[in-house]
Amino acid sequence: MADKLINITLPDGTVLNKPIGSTGYDIAFGISESLAKQSIAVEINNEFKDLSYPMEKDCSLKILKKDADYALELIRHDCAHVMAEAVQALYPGTQVTIGPAIENGFYYDFARDKPFTVDDLEKIEKKMHEIIDEGLEFKREVWNREEAIKFFENEGELYKAEIIKDLPGSEEITIYRQGKWLDLCRGPHLPTTKHIGKSFKLMKVAGAYWRGNENNEMLTRIYGTAWRTDKELRTYLNMLKEAEKRDHRKIGKEMKLFTFDEEVGAGLPLWLPNGSVLIEQLENLAKETENDAGYDRVKTPHITKGSLYEKSGHLSHYKDSMFPAMDIDGNEYYLKPMNCPHHHKIYASLPRTYKELPVRLAEYGTCYRYEKSGQLFGLMRVRSMQMNDAHIYCTEEQFKNEFLSVCNMYLYYFKIFGIEKYEMRLSLHDPEKLGEKYVDEPELWIKTEKLVRESLQDGELNFVEIPGEAAFYGPKIDVQVWSAIGREFTLATNQVDFAIPSRFDLTYIDKDNKNQTPLCIHRAPLGTHERFIGFLIEHFAGNFPLWLAPVQVVVITISDKFNDYANNVFKELKSNGIRVNIDNRSEKMGAKIRLAEINKIPIMAIIGEKEVSDNSISVRRKFKGDQGSLKLNDFIQNIKKEIDNRIL
RNA sequence: GCCAUUGUAGCUCAGUUGGCCAGAGCAGCUGAUUUGUAAUCAGCGGGUCGGGGGUUCGAAUCCCUCCAAUGGCUCCA
């Protein structure tokens, strides 16, 4: 009896007429034996499947080899399975939960009374090698739902049983076997464990909540990285090493930018003189830019009565992130987590008319937020922060223009700092969480979200929309950036606050002498000093452009015979506002140059006999080396120009 | 906050199964040297081993607790 035939279309358009139930492997083998050997999986009708998946009807077929992008995902996912088998072999009684492929690797979450430690990793890795060497075939099976649940419950795999129970009824329950071990899994997988190769490494252990919910039990997670070849693995590990060198905490220490002190408290950075230079330069930039854009500067206090935060909604929506209240003369006072309420009070302190709108109030205010201890992270997550903050009060007609101007201000800054990789995210509210996570104003949400979207579209800015990420008081644009070592951060933020008008009775008098309510835009293009500087350190690897460099020039003497002239040069530079040091130690020039290079000082002004005789200096640039000599005056003019123009 | 790891001189790190007054390099100080584009030589000083408590004849080393940092989870500028 002849089998029924189906049509299988290959990527080049060839149509093969093959028996029903043919697999990718069969087709590959039909083409060539070596192709069959190299094949690892298939794409059937644009869906990834096992190489052994039987085709039941007409379809398109693409055979994947190890060089396919998807191969990495398979290697990583299979690695996770093998690791789970290894763990259960070595530590009986451990339950498996989930174990996906992730960027650069994979993880698997286990439930075990005693969490794993890094010491366990070596053993597990060794066992994994054994399993891979066995070349076990990954076999897919479709199971009956109820039986599957019963099976896993009997095995004591309660998490797996729970996963199946929560899968939608339409979903097929599939399990994959590798030798005697099996796991609930959607697949697909490589043909055998041998296909995984040995280019993987277990990296670290971590705690992780079951289903990512902090009310659930803590599981123990093992992370690994996996690649096609040892070379790829080495490259990746090397990249991690390089990243460590750029870490802002390391460079911050080396360059004496900031420090933390146990006795001061966690998350409370102390800015050293060098770091304070950075702050000052950023503030100058912001003040200049905001001045040109029509902002007024204001100053507000660090502590405030609780009643103000009740009015603003902070106590009902943001209290967990605030430091606890202090009792002062029977009143509750709080450290301010944001500047908004104060700015609103400044707006409300005077009668406003349509003629003076938009009112733009800017402040580099220090705010304090209670971040849980486990989430503090260098300068990137701190408890005291200085925000490049401002609030813009405008009419509805002015809104789009104002909103767009703020976005363009980000882009202006990004250009100055050479930030090329960023993403604008429009964060929207989640209608189901009105009244709890978000202020309960359904129409206002929809209206302002529309306004924001349209202004971005009008400005032809690229953005993505993210539901459920809005601030409690309104939609926002967050700008994500990636530091040079791949860390992702929300840097700039631009938010609409529509809860304000009703809560704070903010008004203005319109043309018809009627009271109107302004819209409020809350923006922080440079985020906080702490995060922004942390980002900049990694972005520049500490090699700041001249205008930002804590020390811009170091005067280096070749011998102390030239100290008098060098001192004059030093004074001259200093009186021109250049941040300059002098190295007149009784050391060899090479040693002084080396020190300057290590300290990442952009310019060295070297002085010897020749320079003294013709009133010049020999210029050396960090990295670039000897730049020849210049008359002192020309040197100063050149530097000043570079600084004033904030040349990168 | 939760899980794991870590905390020795200003910095980077050694310190074997608990056992002589705790070590090195760099930095610092002093002296010699007077130097032309990434390290001149010599001498010297510097540590309540994160804090507190305990076990022990004896603790940097073992236990408890607190503090801080790191990697994650959760959360976020």
Side-chain angles (χ1 to χ4, degrees), chain A residues 198-482:
Chain A
K198 298 280 182 71
S199 307
F200 67 89
K201 185 173 168 21
L202 300 188
M203 303 293 283
K204 53 201 174 193
V205 293
Y209 297 108
W210 167 235
R211 301 206 149 159
N213 185 329
E214 63 179 324
N215 299 318
N216 289 345
E217 53 275 37
M218 172 78 51
L219 305 171
T220 164
R221 174 176 296 182
I222 301 177
Y223 281 96
T225 185
W227 301 85
R228 291 186 187 86
T229 63
D230 283 349
K231 194 178 165 205
E232 281 182 1
L233 174 65
R234 275 199 306 273
T235 306
Y236 174 69
L237 295 176
N238 220 25
M239 197 199 78
L240 292 182
K241 228 185 255 168
E242 287 302 309
E244 227 169 274
K245 288 187 199 156
R246 274 183 107 109
D247 191 300
H248 75 279
R249 293 166 297 192
K250 185 174 160 65
I251 293 176
K253 197 181 265 180
E254 288 165 357
M255 295 182 75
K256 302 184 177 69
L257 300 175
F258 61 90
T259 187
F260 289 92
D261 189 296
E262 273 189 40
E263 289 194 288
V264 174
L268 304 171
L270 298 173
W271 288 97
L272 306 177
N274 283 348
S276 302
V277 167
L278 295 174
I279 290 185
E280 202 166 295
Q281 293 310 311
L282 291 181
E283 287 194 2
N284 288 344
L285 170 66
K287 285 174 183 171
E288 225 174 78
T289 309
E290 285 162 7
N291 187 47
D292 290 347
Y295 287 70
D296 296 317
R297 302 208 77 79
V298 295
K299 293 271 183 204
T300 64
H302 291 205
I303 63 169
T304 290
K305 278 193 205 166
S307 49
L308 186 68
Y309 293 118
E310 242 152 57
K311 193 179 224 180
S312 66
H314 283 88
L315 284 182
S316 48
H317 292 95
Y318 204 75
K319 195 171 182 186
D320 288 349
S321 300
M322 292 167 70
F323 278 97
M326 49 196 136
D327 184 297
I328 296 172
D329 298 338
N331 279 313
E332 285 201 327
Y333 278 75
Y334 288 89
L335 278 166
K336 70 172 167 182
M338 297 183 191
N339 300 306
C340 348
H342 298 94
H343 290 185
H344 303 331
K345 282 297 184 189
I346 290 175
Y347 178 92
S349 69
L350 295 169
R352 307 285 182 175
T353 82
Y354 71 97
K355 288 182 186 171
E356 58 192 297
L357 294 189
V359 167
R360 307 183 188 91
L361 304 177
E363 173 176 18
Y364 252 119
T366 305
C367 295
Y368 300 87
R369 294 185 189 171
Y370 172 71
E371 299 286 353
K372 288 191 257 173
S373 62
Q375 44 211 38
L376 300 173
F377 171 59
L379 282 182
M380 303 299 198
R381 279 297 277 284
V382 292
R383 285 176 173 165
S384 77
M385 65 210 84
Q386 303 160 68
M387 308 187 77
N388 170 222
D389 212 358
H391 293 84
I392 300 170
Y393 304 86
C394 64
T395 67
E396 213 171 303
E397 294 72 52
Q398 293 166 334
F399 178 85
K400 281 192 191 174
N401 199 23
E402 286 301 311
F403 198 86
L404 200 53
S405 302
V406 171
C407 291
N408 283 325
M409 192 183 278
Y410 303 156
L411 301 181
Y412 169 73
Y413 285 138
F414 287 180
K415 209 165 162 195
I416 288 177
F417 295 105
I419 297 170
E420 282 161 10
K421 189 178 177 196
Y422 61 88
E423 182 178 271
M424 291 203 174
R425 294 187 177 162
L426 170 53
S427 298
L428 308 169
H429 78 296
D430 175 354
E432 286 180 14
K433 291 192 177 154
L434 281 171
E436 38 171 326
K437 193 172 169 191
Y438 301 115
V439 292
D440 197 6
E441 301 275 3
E443 295 92 45
L444 276 171
W445 275 105
I446 289 164
K447 181 173 144 189
T448 44
E449 286 176 356
K450 182 163 175 277
L451 274 173
V452 170
R453 188 181 292 114
E454 284 172 3
S455 63
L456 288 168
Q457 285 162 348
D458 290 354
E460 294 178 351
L461 296 175
N462 289 324
F463 64 97
V464 294
E465 299 200 9
I466 315 224
E469 287 293 319
F472 73 81
Y473 44 73
K476 62 176 180 176
I477 295 288
D478 282 332
V479 186
Q480 297 299 113
V481 294
W482 285 263

Side-chain angles (χ1 to χ4, degrees), chain A residues 91-110:
Chain A
Y91 308 93
T94 305
Q95 290 188 62
V96 291
T97 66
I98 56 160
I102 53 171
E103 196 181 359
N104 300 325
F106 60 94
Y107 68 79
Y108 211 113
D109 285 348
F110 301 98

